[in-house]
Structures are given as structure tokens and as C-alpha cells.
């Protein structure tokens, strides 16, 4: 290996956070060609993660280290969201029956690359493609040892949970999660309500927040919030709420 190439790999390894992945496309952007990457593999510095990504030889990486690469190097909108984001932030006060899975959310047009979806991360990955919220609205930096990833704020996570109801997320659990959201600012909620494109989510959120009696609810201005028209049946054989025109579980009534 030439002196120049040796310097490149030394710089690369020095700046590389342990437990993370680098995209092959990113390496090319910083001056490490595909041919040079193959040399590093043969020399025992790097090893492939499918096609299009590499890790340090012998390094243990998780889905979080892979997500780091997608977000920081691929400018991906995919992030940890919903109940998984609340769990990372220690906001679940009850047993998580889906502890062996993680929910990722991203733009409708964005797919997980094959190297990501084909790798066994030791945990089930549920990827939800949707654009019902602006892609960068209230994403937080969550620290994981030597690196950080983007995850949903508590408020965004609640909206994402409601988006998954009733088929992939229990409504009563959403209600319990929303009960703990008492320290947010009315303007935060206002921004989400005006930005959200899901009528179902907005109606459910407002119904639950009003029923819970959060102090910030009375400061909301619903004149600028599009709640659509007509009835929405969230579940069959439930209770119909005439104010928000939704059919919900009887235990929520």
C-alpha cells in the first residue's frame, strides 16, 4: 500500500465512530474510490455490509450504527419514531410488548437500501413510509456512545403512534402516552396540527387531549387547522363522538 493510501486509511479509521457504518458512496465523496476500498478490504481494514456499505473489520454494529450512516452520509429522512422513540427517551412507564422491534419512519418516497433491510440486526425493523408530517419537524439528536442519531421528539412520536392506529398501534396505549405529554408549549402543538396532513391523526389527538384535560389545550387555535369533513370510523362497533366525528373504542368514550 502506498504512503498516500496508508495516510488515507489512517485518517479514515481515526475519524470513524466505533459501531457505525460508512456508505460506499460517501467514501467516494471524500476521495476513497471503490478500487481503494477493495484494497482496504483485502488488507483487513474494512469488511462489506451487503452491497453499498462497509464497517471496520471485526466491529460490532447495530441498526443504530446503520441509521447513523443513512442520516449523516445519505441525508436520509428515516429516523426512529413512534413508541420506539419514546422508549429510547425513557418515556414508557409500562411493559413494552414489542421490545424486540423498532419503528422507523421516513418520507413516502424513501426506501431502506437493500444492505440495510437484508442485514440481521438482531431486532425486527418496521419501516413506515409516510409524508403526513414535514420530514424534519422536531427531530432530536439522541446520543449513543460515540455517535448520535435523529429520533422523534415526544410530541412527534405521539403523532406517529396515532398514525399507526388502529391496526399497528393500540388506541388506549396512545391515550396513556398522551397523558404524559403535559409539559409542552401550545405553539408546539399548534405547529403540528397545522402541518399534519392526516385528518385521522388530528381528530384523534384533539379528542384525547381534550378528554385528558391538558392545560395547553385551551390555548389552541383550531381555526387554522384543517379537520376535514365527514365522519371517520377508526374502529367498527365503537362509540361515535359527535364533536370530532370519529368512531372510537367504547372504553375511550
Amino acid at each position: 500500500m502506498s504512503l498516500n493510501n496508508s495516510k488515507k486509511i489512517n485518517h479514515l479509521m481515526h475519524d470513524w465512530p466505533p459501531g457505525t457504518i460508512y456508505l460506499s458512496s460517501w467514501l467516494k465523496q471524500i476521495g476513497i474510490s471503490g478500487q481503494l476500498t477493495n484494497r482496504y478490504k483485502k488488507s483487513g481494514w474494512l469488511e462489506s455490509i451487503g452491497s453499498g456499505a462497509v464497517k471496520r473489520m471485526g466491529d460490532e454494529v447495530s441498526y443504530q450504527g446503520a441509521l447513523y450512516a443513512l442520516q449523516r452520509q445519505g441525508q436520509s429522512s428515516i429516523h426512529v419514531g413512534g413508541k420506539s422513540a419514546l422508549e429510547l427517551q425513557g418515556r414508557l412507564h409500562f411493559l413494552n410488548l414489542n421490545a424486540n422491534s423498532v419503528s422507523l419512519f421516513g418520507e413516502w418516497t424513501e426506501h431502506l437500501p437493500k444492505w440495510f433491510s437484508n442485514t440481521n440486526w438482531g431486532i425486527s425493523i418496521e419501516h413506515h413510509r409516510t409524508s403526513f408530517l414535514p420530514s424534519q419537524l422536531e427531530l432530536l439528536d439522541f446520543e449513543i456512545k460515540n455517535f448520535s442519531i435523529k429520533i422523534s421528539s415526544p410530541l412527534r412520536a405521539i403523532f406517529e403512534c396515532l398514525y399507526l392506529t388502529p391496526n399497528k398501534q393500540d388506541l388506549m396505549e396512545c391515550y396513556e402516552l398522551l397523558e404524559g405529554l403535559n409539559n409542552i408549549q401550545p405553539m408546539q402543538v399548534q405547529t403540528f396540527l397545522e402541518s399534519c396532513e392526516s385528518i385521522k391523526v388530528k381528530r384523534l389527538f384533539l379528542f384525547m387531549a381534550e378528554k385528558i384535560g391538558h392545560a395547553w389545550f385551551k390555548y389552541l387555535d383550531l381555526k387554522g387547522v384543517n379537520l376535514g369533513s365527514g365522519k371517520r370510523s377508526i374502529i367498527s362497533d365503537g362509540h361515535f363522538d359527535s364533536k370530532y366525528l370519529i368512531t372510537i373504542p367504547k372504553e375511550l368514550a
Side-chain angles (χ1 to χ4, degrees), residues 28 76 80 87-88 93 115 129 140 145 151 160 192 218:
K28 290 179 182 178
S76 173
V80 179
E87 182 179 19
L88 286 177
H93 303 297
W115 64 262
R129 296 167 50 230
L140 309 177
K145 293 183 179 179
I151 70 172
E160 289 167 339
F192 269 86
K218 61 185 177 183

Side-chain angles (χ1 to χ4, degrees), residues 144-196:
I144 304 171
K145 293 183 179 179
N146 302 298
F147 62 95
S148 66
I149 58 173
K150 298 286 185 181
I151 70 172
S152 293
S153 70
L155 181 56
R156 184 183 181 107
I158 293 292
F159 270 69
E160 289 167 339
C161 284
L162 289 171
Y163 178 82
L164 298 179
T165 60
N167 296 327
K168 296 182 179 180
Q169 176 67 55
D170 181 68
L171 272 167
M172 287 304 300
E173 192 173 36
C174 288
Y175 184 84
E176 292 170 359
L177 292 171
L178 185 52
E179 279 185 311
L181 213 63
N182 53 12
N183 60 345
I184 57 175
Q185 298 298 317
M187 283 306 299
Q188 280 182 275
V189 182
Q190 189 74 37
T191 298
F192 269 86
L193 289 172
E194 293 179 4
S195 303
C196 179

Side-chain angles (χ1 to χ4, degrees), residues 13-252:
M13 301 302 281
H14 179 268
D15 297 334
W16 196 323
T20 64
I21 284 171
Y22 270 19
L23 303 180
S24 300
S25 57
W26 172 256
L27 292 177
K28 290 179 182 178
Q29 289 181 34
I30 62 175
I32 299 177
S33 65
Q35 184 180 19
L36 188 53
T37 299
N38 287 332
R39 288 185 189 175
Y40 293 156
K41 291 177 187 177
K42 291 179 181 179
S43 299
W45 289 98
L46 308 177
E47 59 181 309
S48 295
I49 297 287
S51 175
V54 295
K55 66 173 185 173
R56 297 202 228 196
M57 181 67 73
D59 196 10
E60 291 187 10
V61 296
S62 66
Y63 82 90
Q64 295 164 331
L67 197 56
Y68 166 87
L70 292 182
Q71 294 176 347
R72 303 293 177 175
Q73 300 161 18
Q75 287 72 54
S76 173
S77 69
I78 299 174
H79 60 276
V80 179
K83 197 165 66 171
S84 297
L86 294 172
E87 182 179 19
L88 286 177
Q89 296 170 76
R91 288 180 171 266
L92 295 189
H93 303 297
F94 43 81
L95 179 64
N96 183 5
L97 299 179
N98 295 315
N100 293 322
S101 67
V102 62
S103 294
L104 303 181
F105 286 79
E107 285 289 306
W108 171 253
T109 55
E110 193 169 1
H111 296 262
L112 283 172
K114 287 185 178 180
W115 64 262
F116 191 113
S117 55
N118 290 341
T119 299
N120 180 9
W121 302 110
I123 192 169
S124 175
I125 304 292
E126 298 176 1
H127 179 214
H128 307 288
R129 296 167 50 230
T130 172
S131 300
F132 84 103
L133 285 174
S135 61
Q136 300 302 315
L137 181 60
E138 282 203 26
L139 292 182
L140 309 177
D141 286 316
F142 183 77
E143 297 293 329
I144 304 171
K145 293 183 179 179
N146 302 298
F147 62 95
S148 66
I149 58 173
K150 298 286 185 181
I151 70 172
S152 293
S153 70
L155 181 56
R156 184 183 181 107
I158 293 292
F159 270 69
E160 289 167 339
C161 284
L162 289 171
Y163 178 82
L164 298 179
T165 60
N167 296 327
K168 296 182 179 180
Q169 176 67 55
D170 181 68
L171 272 167
M172 287 304 300
E173 192 173 36
C174 288
Y175 184 84
E176 292 170 359
L177 292 171
L178 185 52
E179 279 185 311
L181 213 63
N182 53 12
N183 60 345
I184 57 175
Q185 298 298 317
M187 283 306 299
Q188 280 182 275
V189 182
Q190 189 74 37
T191 298
F192 269 86
L193 289 172
E194 293 179 4
S195 303
C196 179
E197 296 186 2
S198 171
I199 301 299
K200 176 192 78 171
V201 169
K202 287 182 284 190
R203 291 189 190 182
L204 279 172
F205 181 89
L206 289 169
F207 168 81
M208 290 181 177
E210 185 174 17
K211 183 176 178 64
I212 291 167
H214 277 309
W216 44 259
F217 182 85
K218 61 185 177 183
Y219 297 105
L220 300 178
D221 180 9
L222 301 185
K223 294 178 183 178
V225 178
N226 177 20
L227 294 176
S229 60
K231 302 175 182 178
R232 294 291 194 281
S233 180
I234 310 302
I235 66 163
S236 58
D237 191 31
H239 169 80
F240 179 71
D241 180 79
S242 58
K243 180 175 182 178
Y244 294 105
L245 303 179
I246 51 176
T247 302
I248 54 174
K250 294 176 181 178
E251 56 266 38
L252 266 180

